[in-house]
Amino acid sequence: ALPISMSNTTTDTAFEQEFLTTWTESDPAKRRANIERMWARDGKLVAALPVAATLEGIDQINGLIGQVYDDSIAAQGLSFIYDQAIPAGDALLLRWSMLTPNGEPAGRGVEVVFRDANGKVTTDYLFMGVD
């Protein structure tokens, strides 16, 4: 399945594709560089259960994303795609799916991403286990 954007702007589609690389890049140094490029320095990631954590700043966000990469992508061979993106002002709702190596759904979630005037992520609310 290809990611579907509800937006007509290439800017949002480019943002979605780049933001996805902050989660999926295999090289830790490149992944960190992607995070630094996409996130505000004082950005905040608020994850609902089962993670139930609030992470602040590039170091903590990079740590969680690295753990997700190691546990889900590297260890299980899962891939992530955005199924839907709906912009509203400074917010962007992203619905994502984790897919097994044979393309079967293994989980779904939603993020609500807020960006500053420069397009950098200031806050990301992450919800897992969404149907």
Side-chain angles (χ1 to χ4, degrees):
L2 294 174
I4 298 169
S5 175
M6 299 296 284
S7 165
N8 292 327
T9 65
T10 55
T11 304
D12 284 335
T13 301
F15 173 83
E16 295 156 27
Q17 291 169 348
E18 287 187 51
F19 191 64
L20 188 58
T21 69
T22 66
W23 294 91
T24 60
E25 170 58 52
S26 62
D27 180 274
K30 288 181 184 175
R31 190 168 54 240
R32 166 105 189 183
N34 290 348
I35 292 167
E36 290 176 354
R37 186 177 74 254
M38 299 298 296
W39 282 81
R41 292 184 63 75
D42 60 348
K44 182 169 61 171
L45 193 156
V46 181
L49 290 170
V51 175
T54 297
L55 305 154
E56 297 188 50
I58 298 293
D59 289 341
Q60 289 185 8
I61 292 166
N62 183 62
L64 174 71
I65 290 175
Q67 182 180 343
V68 169
Y69 182 88
D70 292 345
D71 294 348
S72 298
I73 297 175
Q76 298 180 50
L78 299 176
S79 61
F80 287 81
I81 61 165
Y82 289 133
D83 301 307
Q84 190 172 32
I86 304 172
D90 65 344
L92 177 64
L93 181 140
L94 296 168
R95 186 181 71 186
W96 51 264
S97 289
M98 291 184 299
L99 303 175
T100 63
N102 64 1
E104 295 295 316
R108 176 172 280 156
V110 170
E111 292 179 71
V112 180
V113 178
F114 292 88
R115 294 176 282 175
D116 64 18
N118 297 319
K120 294 208 175 218
V121 176
T122 56
T123 307
D124 179 2
Y125 293 95
L126 175 62
F127 303 90
M128 292 148 284
V130 175
D131 290 330

